[in-house]
Amino acid sequence: MQHHHGGFMQEGMHHAVAKGVTLDAKVDVAARIVTLRVGPVNLPANTGHMKMPQPPDQVWQIPFDGWLLAYHPRLVDANGQAVPGTVLHHTAFWNENRADFLCPNKEEHIFGAGSEMTDWAEVPGYGYRVQKNDKIRIETMVYNPTPTSYQKVYLEVAIPFQDAAKNAPPRKNVYPAWMDVKSCGNSSYDVPAGKSEKSGTATVKYDGVLLGVGGHLHDYGRQVVLQDASRKETVATLEAKVNEKGLLESVPVKLFLDQGGYKFSAGDILKISATYDNPTGRLLRDGAMGIAVGYFVPADDSMMAALRRKTPLAAHNMAGMSHDH
Ligand SMILES: [Cu+2]
């Protein structure tokens, strides 16, 4: 079956599917943490993401009404030993029951991480609202640029949550904002040899504030710049940290909490630019992404209810079925 889900990475690609991958969701009610575990996958040394068999999409059905507060990803092997984040090409979480506020052609993109293993810390007082039975689709792509093979690797994401039924002050709702150099298209693109830059735009349709912004790049990525083109202001310039080979180590996060958030107005056009410096001497097919990622808080939260979908955009019913388009 052919379908298009506006996926983070997989769209248009044809990978072998890794066999035996499942999703396990453990809810620790007392500690109010869900731990999701996707795997296992075997990662032979020196294998690119196009050659590596990839985990099929998994779906996590939310078991409560409440808020997801933070995302703490890590990679472990079957013995619980840490595996370096560099073998995660990336993971992306999508709420199939809602449309994304910047790119309503896509599902609401609620979390993502790559080799830099971005830890999404809790912002006190804020959370991402979920309803019971919302379906969160989890895309995971792995590779292994290292000379070491890893066996039976699991992606674990610990997600602290607040149950709406529990007696605690309600959270203010945040909406993850993915501001992509590919605008609202498929996020990945080819990166040529040497220095290159790509930019795109996104239009904000709601008044509100951006609480902070981080960046998502792939290996050889150097910088993400977010500008409010309508105001002719630079919102943030994020310089990536890379190792001596140019492999990505981290992208900083800039917070605007002290000023009450960076103000966006409905109609503002955002410009996003990403630069790469690819030392391999060859074009890397679908090797790049350039995304500024932040939390948006609308001035009027009630407008966001319209983003709920009565029926999911496409059927991603069974894990294992959805990967080879
Ligand atoms: Cu990516």
Side-chain angles (χ1 to χ4, degrees):
M1 266 271 284
Q2 187 81 11
H3 68 258
H4 292 278
H5 55 59
F8 199 35
M9 187 68 184
Q10 280 84 344
E11 190 158 299
M13 292 191 182
H14 301 268
H15 307 101
V17 176
K19 300 230 163 36
V21 175
T22 58
L23 169 70
D24 177 61
K26 270 200 181 56
V27 183
D28 183 333
V29 175
R32 294 185 293 276
I33 295 178
V34 181
T35 304
L36 302 178
R37 199 164 138 103
V38 176
V41 285
N42 293 326
L43 306 175
N46 303 310
T47 307
H49 66 275
M50 305 296 277
K51 287 221 177 90
M52 190 73 82
Q54 297 295 346
D57 287 2
Q58 306 290 321
V59 174
W60 174 43
Q61 193 158 342
I62 302 265
F64 51 81
D65 281 301
W67 289 268
L68 307 184
L69 307 181
Y71 305 85
H72 306 303
R74 64 181 197 130
L75 295 172
V76 293
D77 66 17
N79 302 319
Q81 297 293 310
V83 170
T86 185
V87 300
L88 180 67
H89 200 263
H90 66 250
T91 186
F93 287 24
W94 306 87
N95 189 341
E96 296 189 325
N97 296 90
R98 293 180 49 85
D100 192 82
F101 85 97
L102 280 176
C103 296
N105 59 312
K106 296 185 178 183
E107 294 157 350
E108 193 164 63
H109 190 182
I110 68 170
F111 166 69
S115 300
E116 80 292 344
M117 294 297 270
T118 306
D119 190 88
W120 289 29
E122 179 177 343
V123 185
Y126 294 91
Y128 171 72
R129 188 74 164 94
V130 287
Q131 292 185 14
K132 190 172 179 176
N133 299 328
D134 277 358
K135 288 193 170 72
I136 308 297
R137 185 169 58 82
I138 299 172
E139 287 179 355
T140 307
M141 185 177 285
V142 286
Y143 72 141
N144 189 354
T146 79
T148 310
S149 294
Y150 296 96
Q151 304 302 318
K152 292 196 172 133
V153 174
Y154 293 83
L155 168 69
E156 259 187 29
V157 184
I159 307 174
F161 65 93
Q162 179 173 318
D163 191 323
K166 292 276 155 33
N167 210 1
R171 299 265 170 165
K172 270 191 110 166
N173 295 339
V174 292
Y175 298 85
W178 296 80
M179 299 162 282
D180 194 315
V181 300
K182 294 288 300 293
S183 299
C184 288
N186 173 20
S187 297
S188 47
Y189 60 95
D190 300 343
V191 58
K195 292 194 165 105
S196 62
E197 179 173 339
K198 191 169 194 69
S199 47
T201 59
T203 305
V204 184
K205 299 170 196 85
Y206 308 88
D207 292 338
V209 296
L210 194 67
L211 295 181
V213 64
H216 178 75
L217 291 164
H218 287 186
D219 285 337
Y220 314 125
R222 287 306 176 96
Q223 191 186 61
V224 181
V225 180
L226 175 64
Q227 292 169 296
D228 187 322
S230 302
R231 288 168 193 246
K232 298 186 170 57
E233 280 180 5
T234 297
V235 181
T237 300
L238 306 170
E239 300 279 351
K241 203 173 138 206
V242 298
N243 72 9
E244 69 286 349
K245 291 184 181 138
L247 302 177
L248 191 74
E249 290 192 332
S250 62
V251 183
V253 173
K254 188 169 183 207
L255 297 174
F256 309 109
L257 293 167
D258 51 341
Q259 60 205 73
Y262 188 95
K263 210 161 182 254
F264 285 157
S265 301
D268 277 5
I269 294 171
L270 307 177
K271 184 182 175 199
I272 311 98
S273 310
T275 53
Y276 274 76
D277 190 353
N278 166 11
T280 65
R282 60 197 171 85
L283 179 136
L284 301 172
R285 183 78 54 204
D286 278 322
M289 286 193 199
I291 312 177
V293 190
Y295 275 151
F296 180 72
V297 181
D300 177 4
D301 188 67
S302 68
M303 291 177 77
M304 309 306 261
L307 295 165
R308 179 152 285 275
R309 287 173 168 165
K310 283 180 190 71
T311 50
L313 188 64
H316 308 287
N317 40 8
M318 298 302 288
M321 295 299 288
S322 59
H323 218 282
D324 47 7
H325 312 288

